[in-house]
Each structure stands twice: as structure tokens, then as C-alpha cells.
């Protein structure tokens, strides 16, 4: 399906009035037991609410005092509603984004090319996978696809929010286009790669709506743990009734329900769905489409990052800067042969060689091209060239590939070639060797620059326990020089697609989780094998289908941000779980003495908060248990601030802030509520 896409608008505030209104409504709708049973912890609270409600109604009918029972019922109801509100608010933010995207979607006209070459005008909604369409300057691209003919400047601001136009060209790793973007120059032919309803816009809508959100493995594991804790406390509370009878203590069913609700992990149980939804929301805010929540979560557990040198570690605009001929070869001949060998190289590097040669006065004879066979550059061969009609074979490419090719032709390698290659490599440049038949002519020097700040980013990743591996097609000397300058932990030089795949498998065999990015068809196997595969939106369809994430900005450094988003999700969930469980300690000291202090005065020593009465103690604990959920909603939705540090430091910080804080906060909160209840006359 096509459309005019738009970057999803983010609500100005977490508690935006429109979102709050929708969330309040959905909070009541979620009281449906069929919905609540998906969250076992809160389902137990809902059942407890029904039990206390029945007791309240019975007391009213029988003319007995019912104030305490009614108060507990109302508080338990609000506990469930607050938990529902947290989830509903997260979902409402997603639905608001989806509405924004839908409003941007519009039917456009497309010029579909028939098999016989004729052009017919059809609705963009009628386009099917495999259709070819013509798009000229000033027209909207009617659907997601790949350019199969031509080159054009495209405005992708509707998708990425970036106003600067980009160049997309057929036959390269930047041939992908997105429906709803606008062609600014030239005319291109696009092959549609998605059927109606499968475009990026449609995927974004489905993602942000989260209607059928699947729980991630870690979320499922935590849910099982919380359910087990709930079951344990249920058994413990159930045994208190006969124990109370044994010591001649009177304990009401309402009080036992209140005790159960306060001891089970209601805080994290209520916030857990919102944390997961918010994690997906942050990924989308970063302009990353994740095919599942699992991908975002796994990103937080990544051990090894495979990063392409070009565009990620370096600026990525390698340019030919000089020609260096071997001894006995004329500079002009080297320049002309490098020019000829680069005609079939569509990469920016190949084009820069042609431009540098022409600037130096190189002009190829017409007969050189007539009847010639062009050898296109590929990531696998790492060379390009031309076979002329008169039998001349000219090649340009990586030094190891060209030297091997020359030897296959029966030639020998000049003694000074290695010196020239190594000199360029030691300076961080990329040497490309040029040969004609069995004769090596010289070297083309390519220069690139390491990105500012990349060293700091790698240092942060190292603190996080991540190993970074730079992948490049450069020779080992160049790779080693740039890896050292950038601060990468390791490098893979002269890498082929098979090498990338093999390295990923080797890391996984060691028990590591691996992430990588890619944009070309040759990257597809590695993207599919990686635990987190980030494909560029500008890349080929094969790459986007193989990866489990797609970066709409086509920014190679986005992989680093994705890892941080994943870690923030895990840290937020862990921190709030720690806080929730720590809460139970304080609530234990509030309620247990209140239950048995009358019959067992010795338990009064546990009343460390000096609460006024058993009634105020229990009510204070239940009130605090209810209000802490909405208080923590901003933390759940925004996420706990992430600071790169070691696992030990992160654990210590978590225990200090959310563990100790989770114990202290309820003591203070419950005591203050007790004082307030006492002031208003509750005894």
C-alpha cells in the first residue's frame, strides 16, 4: 500500500490531556477478566477486589459496619485501574502516532509500465509486488520499491524528518525507496517490492498501535517469576487464617486480601506492560522499525557489534587522492588504465577515480570502449575492470585480489608494489592496485577520515561490556591503522560476505549475541544470521527482509543507538522490579504487626513505624500500594536514564537507588499516610 508517509508525531507530554482521557476510558474497559487474566498479578488484585466488594455488600445487607471493607474495596479497585491506566497510556501514545500516520496516508496516481513498454495510470493502491512504475521529478513515489533504472535526488523528509535530499541509484546498495517520498530531479523506474498493506507506513502503523503486541522472552520470564511469587504469597496468606485462630487472633478476610495485595509485586506487575510498549515507542522515535519487540530487547543483551568501516567508523566518502605508478610505468598510462577499469564501478570510490583521472587529463579512446566487456565491481570479487575488443584485460581492485589475478595471468609482482601499498595503508588510506594483463601498473590511493567522537562511543561500549569489530574490505595494514585510531577492539580485513557470516557464527558458537548493520544484497545472509540485524532503508529489499530492524534514516551509526535503547529497556524493567520487591519489606513491617499485635504483644516490636492502629496501618499500606503505580508511570514510559558503565557498577547503582530507595520510600510514605488518616479521625 502506498501513501504519503510521515514521521510519527510524538506527544508533547506524557500526560497530554487527550491521551489521558483515552487512557482513563480504556482503564475501565481493561477490567474485563478476559483482558486482566493476561496479567496474573493484577488479575489476583481484581479477584481480591470482587471478594471485598461481596463482603462489603453483605455487611450492608446485614446492617453491619462496612466502612473499612468499603475503603479496602475502593483502594483495590484504584490499584487495578492505575495499573490499567499505565498500560492504556502507553498504548494511547502509540495510537496517537498511528492516527498521525493514517492522516498522512493518501492515494496517489502511479504510472505503471506494462510488459510491452506502454505506460498506464493506475491508483497506487492497485500496485502489486513486481509492478514497475515510472516516477519523474516533482512526483511522489507511489510505493516501496527498488530503483531498477536511473538515478534521482529524493526528498525523504516525510519519512525521516531530515530535510536534506538524498541520492538513490539503481545497481547500488542505495537503490531502495519508500512510498510517500518525493523525486526532486531526473526520472527513475521503480520495481514495487510490497503488496498493498505491507508498506513501511503500514508496518509503522501496526507497530505503534501495538494491538497484537507479543511479549518478549525476558518479559515472559519475568511474568512467570512474578506469577510464582504471587502464588507463594497466596499460600502464605491462606495459612494465616488457621494460625490466627490458633493464637486467638481475629483476622478478617478483607484484611487478608489487603495483606496479599500489598505483599505480591503489584507495582512491577502493573507497570510491566507499559515498560515494554514504551521501549518499542523509543525505537520508533529513533526512526527504527523493529519487526518485533524481541529485537529491541535482544539489542540490550548484545555482546559483539560488527560495524562496517565506511560510513560508520569513517565518514564514508572515500575519495581517490593520488596515483602512484610502480617503477618503469608512466604516470599517464596508470591514470588512463585506472580510468578504464573504474568505468564499471558504480561506487563513490570508483566514481572518484574516474573524476581524478579526468581532472588529470585522462581521455579514453573511443575504440577502447567499443565492443568491450565491462567487469562490474562486487563485494565478493572486490575488483572491477574492462575486457577490450582487441583482447586487453584491465583490472582495478583490492591489492590481494589484483596480485592474485596477475599471477593467474602468468605475470609477476613488482618489488616496489608492496612498499607503495604499505605506505598508503600505514597512513590510513586504502590502496587499490591497477593492472593490465600480467603487468601491475601502480596504485590508486583512497583517503577516508575517522568520524569525530567515534573513539568516545567505542569507549562507552567497552564500559558496557561490548566488543566492537570493524569490518572492511581494506587490506590488513589499513584496517589495523583505522581500527587503532577509532578504538575498535578488533577488525576483519579484506572481508567478503562469507567472512562476515562466518565471524557471526563463530561469535554465536561462543555463546555471544551479535548485532550488525548492512544495506546490500550481499549483507542479507549475515543480517539474517545476526541476533540483531539492522538494515538501512536505502538498501536493497533483500537486506531489509533479512534484518529484524530497519533504520528509516539509513544512518550506519544507528546500531549504537539501538543497543542503548535496548539496554535502557532492560535497565528500566530491572530497576522497577527491584523497587517493587523492595517495597514489600516496608509493607510487611506495616501490616504483620497490625494483624497480631493484639493477641501477640511481643510482635509490637516490629511496629518500627509506630503506626496509630491496625486499621490505619493496613489502610496506609494499601493506599501507598495504589498510588505508587501512577507515581512511577513517567519512569516506566520515559525509561530509567542510561549511563554506560560496567555490569558490576550498574548492579551496585541499581541496588543503591532502587533497592534501598524501594525500602526507604514506603516507610516514609506509609508513615505520612498514617498520620494523615489519624488527623482525619480514622482509628
Amino acid at each position: 500500500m502506498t501513501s504519503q508517509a510521515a514521521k510519527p508525531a510524538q506527544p508533547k507530554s506524557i500526560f497530554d490531556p487527550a491521551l489521558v482521557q483515552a487512557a482513563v476510558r480504556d482503564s475501565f474497559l481493561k477490567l474485563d477478566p478476559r483482558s486482566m487474566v493476561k496479567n496474573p498479578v493484577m488479575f489476583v488484585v481484581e479477584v481480591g477486589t470482587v471478594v471485598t466488594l461481596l463482603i462489603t455488600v453483605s455487611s450492608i445487607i446485614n446492617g453491619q459496619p462496612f466502612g473499612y471493607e468499603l475503603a479496602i474495596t475502593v483502594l483495590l479497585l484504584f490499584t487495578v485501574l492505575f495499573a490499567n491506566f499505565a498500560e492504556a497510556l502507553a498504548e494511547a501514545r502509540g495510537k496517537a502516532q498511528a492516527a498521525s500516520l493514517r492522516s498522512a496516508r493518501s492515494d496517489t496516481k502511479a504510472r505503471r509500465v506494462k510488459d510491452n513498454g506502454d505506460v498506464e495510470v493506475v491508483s497506487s493502491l492497485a500496485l502489486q509486488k513486481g509492478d514497475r512504475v515510472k516516477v519523474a521529478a516533482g512526483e511522489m513515489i507511489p510505493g516501496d520499491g527498488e530503483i531498477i533504472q536511473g538515478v534521482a535526488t529524493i526528498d525523504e523528509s516525510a519519512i525521516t524528518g531530515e530535510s536534506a535530499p538524498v541520492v538513490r541509484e539503481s545497481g547500488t546498495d542505495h537503490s531502495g525507496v519508500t512510498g510517500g517520498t518525493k523525486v526532486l530531479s531526473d526520472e527513475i523506474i521503480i520495481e514495487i517490492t510490497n503488496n498493498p498493506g505491507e508498506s513501511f507506513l503500514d508496518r509503522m502503523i501496526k507497530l505503534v498501535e501495538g494491538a497484537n503486541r507479543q511479549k518478549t522472552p525476558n518479559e515472559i520470564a519475568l511474568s512467570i517469576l512474578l506469577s510464582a511469587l504471587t502464588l507463594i504469597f497466596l499460600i502464605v496468606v491462606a495459612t494465616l487464617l488457621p494460625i490466627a485462630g490458633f493464637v486467638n487472633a481475629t483476622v478478617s478476610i478483607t484484611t487478608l486480601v489487603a495483606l496479599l495485595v500489598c505483599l505480591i509485586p503489584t507495582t512491577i506487575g502493573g507497570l510491566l506492560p507499559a515498560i515494554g510498549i514504551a521501549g518499542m515507542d523509543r525505537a520508533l522515535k529513533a526512526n527504527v522499525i523493529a519487526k518485533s519487540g524481541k529485537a529491541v530487547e535482544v539489542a540490550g543483551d548484545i555482546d559483539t557489534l560488527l560495524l562496517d568501516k565506511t560510513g560508520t567508523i569513517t565518514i564514508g566518502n572515500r575519495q581517490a587522492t593520488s596515483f602512484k605508478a610502480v617503477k618503469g610505468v608512466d604516470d599517464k598510462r596508470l591514470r588512463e588504465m585506472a580510468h578504464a577499469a573504474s568505468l564499471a564501478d558504480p561506487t563513490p570510490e570508483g566514481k572518484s577515480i574516474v573524476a581524478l583521472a579526468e581532472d588529470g587529463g585522462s581521455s579514453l579512446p573511443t575504440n577502447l570502449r567499443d565492443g568491450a566487456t565491462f567487469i562490474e565491481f562486487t563485494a565478493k570479487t572486490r575488483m572491477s575492470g574492462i575486457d577490450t575488443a582487441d583482447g586487453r584485460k584491465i583490472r582495478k581492485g583490492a591489492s590481494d585480489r589484483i596480485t592474485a589475478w596477475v599471477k593467474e595471468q602468468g605475470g609477476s609482482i613488482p618489488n616496489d608494489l608492496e612498499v607503495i601499498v604499505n605506505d598508503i595503508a600505514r597512513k590510513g588510506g586504502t590502496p587499490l592496485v591497477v593492472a593490465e594483463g600480467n603487468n601491475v601498473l601502480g596504485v590508486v590511493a583512497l583517503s577516508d577520515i575517522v568520524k569525530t567522537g567515534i573513539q568516545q562511543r567505542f569507549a562507552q561500549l567497552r564500559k558496557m561490556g561490548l566488543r566492537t569489530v570493524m569490518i572492511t574490505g581494506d587490506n590488513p595494514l589499513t584496517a589495523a591503522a583505522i581500527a587503532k585510531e577509532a578504538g575498535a577492539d578488533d577488525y576483519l580485513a579484506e572481508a567478503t560476505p562469507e567472512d562476515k557470516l562466518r565471524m557471526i557464527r563463530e561469535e554465536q558458537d561462543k555463546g555471544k549475541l551479535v548485532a550488525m548493520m548492512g544495506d546490500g544484497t550481499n549483507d542479507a545472509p549475515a543480517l539474517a544470521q545476526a541476533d540483531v540485524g539492522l538494515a538501512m532503508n536505502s538498501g536493497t529489499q533483500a537486506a531489509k527482509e533479512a534484518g529484524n530492524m530497519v533504520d528509516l534514516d539509513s544512518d550506519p551509526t544507528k546500531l549504537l543507538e539501538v543497543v542503548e535503547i535496548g539496554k535502557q529497556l532492560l535497565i528500566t524493567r530491572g530497576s522497577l522490579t527491584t523497587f517493587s520487591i523492595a517495597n514489600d519489606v516496608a509493607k510487611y513491617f506495616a501490616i504483620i504487626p497490625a494483624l497480631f499485635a493484639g493477641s501477640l504483644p511481643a510482635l509490637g516490636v516490629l511496629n518500627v513505624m509506630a503506626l496509630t492502629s491496625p486499621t490505619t496501618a493496613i489502610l496506609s499500606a494499601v493506599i501507598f500500594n495504589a498510588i505508587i503505580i501512577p507515581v512511577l508511570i513517567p519512569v516506566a514510559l520515559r525509561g530509567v536514564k542510561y549511563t554506560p558503565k560496567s555490569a558490576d557498577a550498574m548492579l551496585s547503582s541499581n541496588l543503591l537507588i532502587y533497592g534501598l530507595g524501594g525500602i526507604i520510600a514506603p516507610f516514609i510514605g506509609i508513615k505520612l499516610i498514617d498520620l494523615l488518616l489519624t488527623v482525619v479521625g480514622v482509628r
Side-chain angles (χ1 to χ4, degrees):
M1 179 180 282
T2 282
S3 43
Q4 177 162 342
K7 185 178 179 180
Q10 299 293 320
K12 295 181 180 180
S13 168
I14 290 178
F15 295 106
D16 181 90
L19 300 184
V20 170
Q21 185 177 356
V24 169
R25 181 190 66 246
D26 290 345
S27 299
F28 286 92
L29 297 177
K30 288 179 178 291
L31 291 174
D32 185 339
R34 292 170 297 181
S35 175
M36 292 298 302
V37 77
K38 297 177 183 177
N39 189 338
V41 176
M42 300 314 301
F43 180 69
V44 169
V45 180
E46 184 175 51
V47 171
T49 306
V50 174
V51 171
T52 58
L53 176 62
L54 293 175
I55 294 173
T56 304
V57 172
S58 176
S59 298
I60 295 173
I61 293 174
N62 295 324
Q64 299 173 350
F66 60 88
Y68 173 70
E69 288 78 7
L70 179 61
I72 295 295
T73 301
V74 172
L75 290 172
L76 295 186
L77 176 62
F78 273 101
T79 302
V80 178
L81 288 174
F82 286 149
N84 289 349
F85 177 78
E87 182 178 7
L89 185 60
E91 291 177 349
R93 288 166 63 83
K95 291 176 181 177
Q97 294 174 354
S100 173
L101 292 170
R102 282 201 183 90
S103 66
R105 185 166 55 184
S106 61
D107 185 12
T108 60
K109 297 299 180 181
R111 293 186 292 152
R112 183 165 60 189
V113 181
K114 297 181 179 179
D115 293 338
N116 61 6
D118 293 340
V119 176
E120 61 177 344
V121 179
V122 299
S123 167
S124 62
L125 302 179
L127 294 175
Q128 299 289 325
K129 184 177 181 179
D131 285 347
R132 293 177 299 157
V133 295
K134 277 188 178 182
V135 188
E139 296 179 348
M140 303 296 293
I141 294 175
D144 298 345
E146 285 192 54
I147 300 175
I148 59 174
Q149 184 178 318
V151 57
T153 305
I154 297 175
D155 177 10
E156 295 184 341
S157 59
I159 292 291
T160 67
E162 177 57 54
S163 59
V166 295
V167 177
R168 299 286 178 254
E169 184 175 0
S170 64
T172 70
D173 290 339
H174 299 280
S175 60
V177 293
T178 306
T181 56
K182 187 176 182 179
V183 175
L184 299 179
S185 69
D186 303 289
E187 184 176 79
I188 53 178
I189 296 179
I190 299 168
E191 182 175 320
I192 301 298
T193 53
N194 291 310
N195 289 316
E198 300 175 356
S199 71
F200 272 110
L201 180 62
D202 294 298
R203 293 183 188 181
M204 290 170 73
I205 292 173
K206 292 175 182 177
L207 175 69
V208 299
E209 281 186 321
N212 298 311
R213 189 182 76 91
Q214 299 295 314
K215 290 184 177 180
T216 62
N218 282 350
E219 190 175 350
I220 293 173
L222 182 56
S223 296
I224 294 172
L225 174 62
L226 298 180
S227 300
L229 288 174
T230 300
L231 181 61
I232 292 171
F233 281 120
L234 181 61
I235 296 172
V236 170
V237 170
T239 61
L240 287 179
L241 193 61
I243 293 175
F246 181 77
V247 298
N248 296 318
T250 302
V251 180
S252 68
I253 299 296
T254 301
T255 298
L256 290 177
V257 171
L259 174 64
L260 174 64
V261 171
C262 287
L263 292 184
I264 64 176
T266 51
T267 304
I268 185 61
L271 295 174
L272 189 57
I275 294 170
I277 296 171
M280 296 288 288
D281 179 67
R282 283 191 290 274
L284 187 63
K285 191 175 181 180
N287 261 6
V288 173
I289 293 181
K291 296 180 180 180
S292 70
K294 180 182 178 180
V296 179
E297 186 176 90
V298 171
D301 285 328
I302 288 298
D303 301 295
T304 304
L305 279 173
L306 303 187
L307 302 166
D308 278 336
K309 183 200 76 172
T310 306
T312 305
I313 295 173
T314 63
I315 293 176
N317 190 22
R318 292 190 301 182
Q319 299 290 310
T321 53
S322 64
F323 297 100
K324 298 185 182 295
V326 298
K327 189 175 180 179
V329 175
D330 182 64
D331 287 343
K332 182 180 179 182
R333 184 186 175 198
L334 170 61
R335 188 180 297 109
E336 289 179 346
M337 294 303 101
H339 184 179
S342 301
L343 293 174
D345 185 353
T347 65
E349 293 87 349
K351 293 177 180 178
S352 75
I353 294 173
V354 173
L356 182 64
E358 290 177 345
D359 290 343
S362 173
S363 58
L364 299 180
T366 305
N367 61 0
L368 189 67
R369 305 188 189 198
D370 293 342
T373 301
F374 291 95
I375 312 300
E376 293 189 4
F377 174 87
T378 67
K380 186 176 181 65
T381 64
R382 293 188 295 122
M383 68 167 70
S384 64
I386 183 174
D387 293 344
T388 65
D390 59 4
R392 298 164 66 186
K393 297 179 180 292
I394 306 167
R395 297 290 188 272
K396 174 245 30 183
S399 60
D400 62 318
R401 295 303 174 93
I402 296 299
T403 54
W405 182 81
V406 169
K407 290 177 181 178
E408 290 173 3
Q409 307 302 310
S412 59
I413 308 303
N415 294 329
D416 58 337
L417 177 65
E418 186 177 357
V419 175
I420 298 172
V421 168
N422 291 346
D423 183 61
I424 295 172
R426 285 193 195 93
K427 296 176 181 178
T430 301
L432 299 180
V433 178
V434 181
E436 180 181 2
N438 59 4
N439 295 313
V440 174
L441 304 180
V443 183
V444 182
L446 301 178
S447 298
D448 202 352
I449 302 173
V450 172
K451 287 185 175 180
T452 303
I454 196 69
Q455 298 92 339
Q456 289 77 7
R457 295 296 297 273
F458 281 168
Q460 290 178 345
L461 292 170
R462 199 170 294 110
K463 288 182 180 179
M464 295 155 52
L466 273 72
R467 177 170 171 261
T468 54
V469 181
M470 184 189 78
I471 298 176
T472 178
D474 291 337
N475 66 67
L477 278 175
T478 302
I482 295 179
K484 183 179 180 180
E485 183 181 354
D489 296 312
D490 201 354
Y491 63 88
L492 178 63
E494 299 176 344
T496 64
E498 291 79 8
D499 293 330
K500 295 180 184 180
L501 186 61
R502 183 172 60 254
M503 171 167 271
I504 291 173
R505 287 172 173 169
E506 289 174 354
E507 290 291 313
Q508 291 173 333
D509 289 341
K510 298 175 185 176
K512 307 290 187 180
L513 295 180
V514 183
M516 74 161 287
M517 56 72 58
D519 56 6
T521 301
N522 61 82
D523 292 324
L527 286 170
Q529 181 66 37
D531 300 284
V532 174
L534 179 65
M536 304 293 99
N537 189 38
S538 62
T540 64
Q541 185 64 20
K544 288 188 281 189
E545 290 297 328
N548 49 24
M549 290 185 176
V550 177
D551 176 27
L552 297 177
D553 295 327
S554 300
D555 178 7
T557 62
K558 189 64 69 67
L559 186 58
L560 305 178
E561 188 173 349
V562 167
V563 171
E564 291 180 356
I565 290 172
K567 286 194 173 294
Q568 187 181 29
L569 170 62
L570 296 177
I571 290 170
T572 301
R573 187 184 294 152
S575 297
L576 293 183
T577 299
T578 302
F579 186 90
S580 177
I581 294 175
N583 269 207
D584 293 340
V585 176
K587 288 180 283 189
Y588 171 88
F589 280 99
I591 295 182
I592 295 299
L595 289 177
F596 298 103
S599 303
L600 300 171
L603 289 179
V605 70
L606 295 178
N607 187 17
V608 295
M609 286 182 275
L611 301 178
T612 304
S613 69
T615 300
T616 62
I618 294 169
L619 286 175
S620 298
V622 177
I623 292 172
F624 180 86
N625 192 67
I627 65 176
I628 196 63
I629 294 177
V631 168
L632 292 176
I633 287 178
V635 179
L637 296 185
R638 289 178 179 151
V640 175
K641 185 178 180 181
Y642 171 69
T643 303
K645 60 181 70 173
S646 67
D648 290 342
M650 201 174 297
L651 177 61
S652 299
S653 177
N654 180 55
L655 291 176
L656 180 62
I657 298 174
Y658 293 94
L660 184 60
I663 294 176
I664 295 175
F667 273 93
I668 298 174
I670 291 173
K671 180 60 180 178
L672 291 175
I673 295 171
D674 178 78
L675 292 174
L676 182 62
L677 290 175
T678 303
V679 169
V680 298
V682 179
R683 293 289 187 270

